[in-house]
């Protein structure tokens, strides 16, 4: 794939001149909100500013912003009042508009053993939800250890994000529990048991309330300046907001016009021609004579299409050598979203990954919604081997595909499973990989495979195959066999 890995470098500067200054559907952003401002009361529910323009007038810093609220002890042990609180949270309060929540803490290597629950107030109605659980085991979605992204000093521990829709009130409780007591509480076991003491909660707990911004907020506010690669002292100048947009679009210049909001679908014959065009001089004579098993390229919504604020991410791109495997995930962000809300949902996850968790960009290479639409994830080019932060220990030589939603007890839609098959048939085909086959990856270290171990895996694997985790949920994991077979058929095998 060397022939096109560098294709974006030569055109980025020209792309900056060719692109419109303001991309469509790009969410305007606010600078990090000071704690005092973040905690200030919001308008009472039932009297919201209902249009984006009115919202901006009433809450000028709200669009595309994150409110970060420190948690407070809710209970203390009276016998040892100086001991760390085993329950923290926030009392019911009004806040500025938000649509996604998560909890972060200081140490990315610390685990939150316990339960996180949140209640939210729907904007405009004043209706409070019931208590909703937030997935606490999320450390397995991360950059590999000892990589620049992991060791940047910005990375924090975090729960999975939870999509709650447009809200203006929140209440939170975080309770420390031993694994045994957590299982006991969810299983409703009766009787008394000698349970181990609850472990301390991680330090620096904060509630993150993310507002993705409105689709038409591009006309207000300026782009944030992207971080220089490797951090502030790396010596690499940061791009301007406009050139960052151009950089991201130029990475797909071989597939779509600059500034495109979607990469169009191709049939199989067109995809085979594309395969040859993307590999000039990189194929052997034998490979050129062989039938290319490349699935038809599916339509893919670009970052510009879902409104990515390119000023949030770190400038530049990071690549791995090739794509030998696809790891399928669920976002564990809940299923209470409509397909029309997906751009907002992805913008929220993107902001949470970068601003709250400290990553260089959104972690997944691709995202798929319940309607089967495919979205570009981490910047760098959808046909290229972009290094993601999705499967701790196995980010090299792989790609991460996240199906939006939670699929432990809920079946994924047929459209979503079909989209996984279509995407893998095309992308794996570009690297001459059989979706029904096996491959070997070298572990960078996980709780399932030690660092340096060579692991034999299905080409299309679930996250749980590389890390001891529930992801991608039992129901979605059970559909991967079907996805492998479909992908192979799409390739003509």
């Amino acid at each position: 794939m060397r022939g096109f890995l560098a294709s974006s470098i030569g055109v980025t500067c020209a792309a900056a001149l060719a692109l419109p200054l303001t991309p469509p559907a790009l969410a305007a952003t606010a600078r990090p909100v000071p704690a005092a401002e973040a905690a200030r009361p919001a308008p009472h529910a039932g009297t919201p500013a209902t249009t984006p323009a009115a919202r901006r007038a009433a809450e000028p810093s709200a669009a595309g912003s994150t409110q970060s609220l420190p948690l407070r002890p809710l209970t203390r042990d009276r016998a040892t009042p100086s001991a760390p609180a085993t329950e923290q949270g926030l009392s019911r309060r009004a806040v500025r508009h938000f649509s996604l929540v998560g909890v972060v803490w200081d140490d990315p290597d610390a685990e939150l053993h316990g339960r996180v629950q949140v209640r939210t107030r729907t904007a405009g109605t004043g209706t409070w939800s019931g208590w909703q659980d937030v997935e606490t085991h999320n450390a397995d979605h991360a950059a590999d250890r000892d990589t620049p992204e992991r060791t940047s000093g910005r990375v924090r521990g975090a729960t999975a994000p939870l999509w709650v829709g447009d809200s203006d009130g929140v209440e939170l409780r975080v309770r420390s529990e031993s694994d045994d007591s957590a299982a006991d509480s969810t299983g409703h076991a009766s009787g008394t048991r000698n349970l181990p003491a609850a472990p301390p909660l991680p330090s620096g707990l904060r509630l993150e309330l993310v507002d993705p911004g409105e689709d038409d907020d591009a006309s207000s506010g300026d782009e944030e300046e992207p971080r220089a690669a490797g951090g502030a002292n790396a010596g690499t100048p940061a791009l301007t907001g406009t050139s960052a947009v151009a950089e991201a679009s130029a990475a797909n210049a071989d597939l779509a016009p600059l500034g495109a909001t979607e990469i169009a679908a191709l049939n199989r014959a067109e995809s085979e021609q594309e395969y040859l065009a993307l590999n000039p001089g990189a194929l052997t004579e034998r490979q050129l004579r062989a039938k290319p098993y490349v699935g038809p390229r599916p339509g893919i919504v670009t970052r510009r299409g879902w409104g990515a604020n390119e000023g949030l991410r770190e400038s530049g791109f990071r690549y791995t050598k090739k794509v030998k495997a696809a790891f399928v995930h669920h976002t564990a962000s809940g299923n209470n979203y409509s397909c029309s809300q997906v751009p907002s949902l992805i913008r929220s996850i993107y902001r949470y990954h970068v601003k709250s968790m400290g990553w260089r960009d959104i972690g997944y290479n691709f995202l798929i919604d319940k309607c089967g639409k495919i979205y570009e994830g981490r910047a760098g080019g959808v046909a290229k081997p972009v290094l993601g932060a999705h499967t701790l220990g196995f980010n090299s030589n792989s790609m991460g595909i996240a199906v939006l939603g939670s699929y432990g007890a809920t079946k994924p839609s047929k459209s979503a499973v079909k989209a996984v098959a279509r995407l893998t048939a095309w992308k794996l085909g570009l690297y001459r990989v059989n979706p029904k086959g096996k491959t070997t990856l070298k572990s960078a270290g996980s709780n399932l495979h030690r660092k340096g171990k060579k692991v034999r895996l299905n080409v299309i694997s679930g996250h749980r195959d590389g890390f001891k985790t529930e992801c991608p949920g039992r129901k979605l994991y059970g559909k991967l066999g079907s996805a492998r077979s479909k992908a192979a058929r799409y390739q003509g095998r």
Side-chain angles (χ1 to χ4, degrees), residues 277-442:
L278 292 175
N279 289 277
L283 300 176
T284 65
E285 285 295 324
R286 182 177 179 181
Q287 289 171 338
L288 287 169
R289 290 195 303 269
K291 172 181 171 57
Y293 291 103
V294 181
R297 186 180 77 193
I300 302 171
V301 177
T302 65
R303 291 170 63 91
R304 187 175 172 85
W306 53 261
N309 177 353
E310 299 297 351
L312 291 179
R313 64 175 174 84
E314 189 176 282
S315 61
F317 310 126
R318 297 290 179 270
Y319 296 103
T320 185
K321 293 180 180 179
K322 60 185 74 173
V323 178
K324 297 173 62 178
F327 285 98
V328 178
H329 305 256
H330 68 169
T331 56
S333 51
N335 302 312
N336 295 324
Y337 70 89
S338 66
C339 291
S340 64
Q341 292 175 316
V342 169
S344 294
L345 172 54
I346 296 177
R347 289 198 302 274
S348 297
I349 294 173
Y350 171 43
R351 177 172 278 274
Y352 185 69
H353 281 183
V354 176
K355 285 293 188 181
S356 300
M357 298 180 67
W359 296 358
R360 73 184 315 273
D361 195 351
I362 192 170
Y364 308 112
N365 298 106
F366 296 93
L367 301 100
I368 293 172
D369 68 23
K370 64 177 72 172
C371 294
K373 185 167 285 190
I374 301 168
Y375 299 81
E376 178 184 15
R378 181 163 287 205
V382 297
K384 301 175 185 179
V386 178
L387 179 65
H390 49 82
T391 307
L392 181 62
F394 294 95
N395 290 305
S396 293
N397 297 329
S398 71
M399 65 175 180
I401 303 169
V403 181
L404 294 163
S406 303
Y407 298 102
T410 302
K411 289 182 179 179
S413 68
K414 292 180 180 178
S415 297
V417 176
K418 182 179 178 180
V420 170
R422 292 172 63 220
L423 176 59
T424 52
W426 171 69
K427 182 69 180 273
L428 293 171
L430 295 179
Y431 294 84
R432 299 175 292 281
V433 176
N434 183 348
K436 287 187 71 175
K438 300 278 188 178
T439 191
T440 300
L441 296 178
K442 186 177 181 180

Side-chain angles (χ1 to χ4, degrees), residues 21-365:
L21 291 180
T22 307
L26 195 62
T29 60
R31 299 292 181 184
V33 181
E37 181 185 355
R40 67 177 173 84
H44 292 293
T47 58
T50 56
T51 67
R55 282 271 300 281
R56 286 193 294 270
E59 307 173 61
S61 62
S65 64
T66 301
Q67 301 170 72
S68 186
L69 309 179
L71 304 196
R72 301 285 183 252
L74 297 181
T75 59
R76 283 196 181 277
D77 188 338
R78 293 182 179 179
T80 54
S82 61
T86 57
E87 187 171 6
Q88 296 185 33
L90 293 172
S91 58
R92 186 182 298 193
R93 65 189 59 201
V95 292
R96 295 199 313 273
H97 285 251
F98 67 96
S99 296
L100 180 139
V101 305
V103 173
V104 300
W105 53 91
D106 295 338
D107 184 358
D109 294 319
E111 292 188 43
L112 196 165
H113 294 282
R115 196 171 188 184
V116 176
Q117 293 182 302
V118 66
R119 298 180 65 202
T120 57
R121 184 176 66 184
T122 303
T125 69
T127 303
W128 283 88
S129 71
W131 287 105
Q132 300 184 76
D133 285 301
V134 180
E135 175 58 58
T136 59
H137 298 293
N138 193 49
D140 43 319
H141 299 77
D144 292 336
R145 296 184 177 94
D146 301 324
T147 61
E149 182 170 6
R150 179 73 178 204
T151 58
S152 68
R154 294 185 297 264
V155 178
R156 290 178 285 277
T159 67
L162 178 68
W163 175 259
V164 294
D166 190 16
S167 304
D168 61 7
V170 69
E171 182 178 3
L172 178 79
R173 60 191 185 196
V174 179
R175 182 182 299 115
S176 175
E177 296 177 346
S178 67
D179 291 338
D180 287 340
S181 61
D184 215 37
S185 65
T186 56
H188 305 290
S190 59
T192 60
R193 297 172 56 195
N194 293 323
L195 297 173
L201 291 170
S203 63
L205 288 168
R206 302 183 72 88
L207 173 64
E208 304 287 289
L209 304 175
V210 180
D211 182 347
E214 304 288 347
D215 284 349
D216 65 351
D217 277 337
S219 60
S220 69
D222 296 324
E223 289 258 336
E224 297 187 30
E225 297 300 314
R227 297 194 307 259
N233 299 319
T236 303
L239 297 173
T240 64
T242 302
S243 58
V245 172
E247 179 191 49
S249 185
N252 290 313
D254 292 320
L255 311 181
L258 293 174
T261 58
E262 185 166 357
I263 297 170
L266 299 179
N267 60 35
R268 184 182 296 170
E270 292 168 333
S271 298
E272 290 175 355
Q273 289 300 311
E274 174 190 65
Y275 162 79
L276 296 174
L278 292 175
N279 289 277
L283 300 176
T284 65
E285 285 295 324
R286 182 177 179 181
Q287 289 171 338
L288 287 169
R289 290 195 303 269
K291 172 181 171 57
Y293 291 103
V294 181
R297 186 180 77 193
I300 302 171
V301 177
T302 65
R303 291 170 63 91
R304 187 175 172 85
W306 53 261
N309 177 353
E310 299 297 351
L312 291 179
R313 64 175 174 84
E314 189 176 282
S315 61
F317 310 126
R318 297 290 179 270
Y319 296 103
T320 185
K321 293 180 180 179
K322 60 185 74 173
V323 178
K324 297 173 62 178
F327 285 98
V328 178
H329 305 256
H330 68 169
T331 56
S333 51
N335 302 312
N336 295 324
Y337 70 89
S338 66
C339 291
S340 64
Q341 292 175 316
V342 169
S344 294
L345 172 54
I346 296 177
R347 289 198 302 274
S348 297
I349 294 173
Y350 171 43
R351 177 172 278 274
Y352 185 69
H353 281 183
V354 176
K355 285 293 188 181
S356 300
M357 298 180 67
W359 296 358
R360 73 184 315 273
D361 195 351
I362 192 170
Y364 308 112
N365 298 106

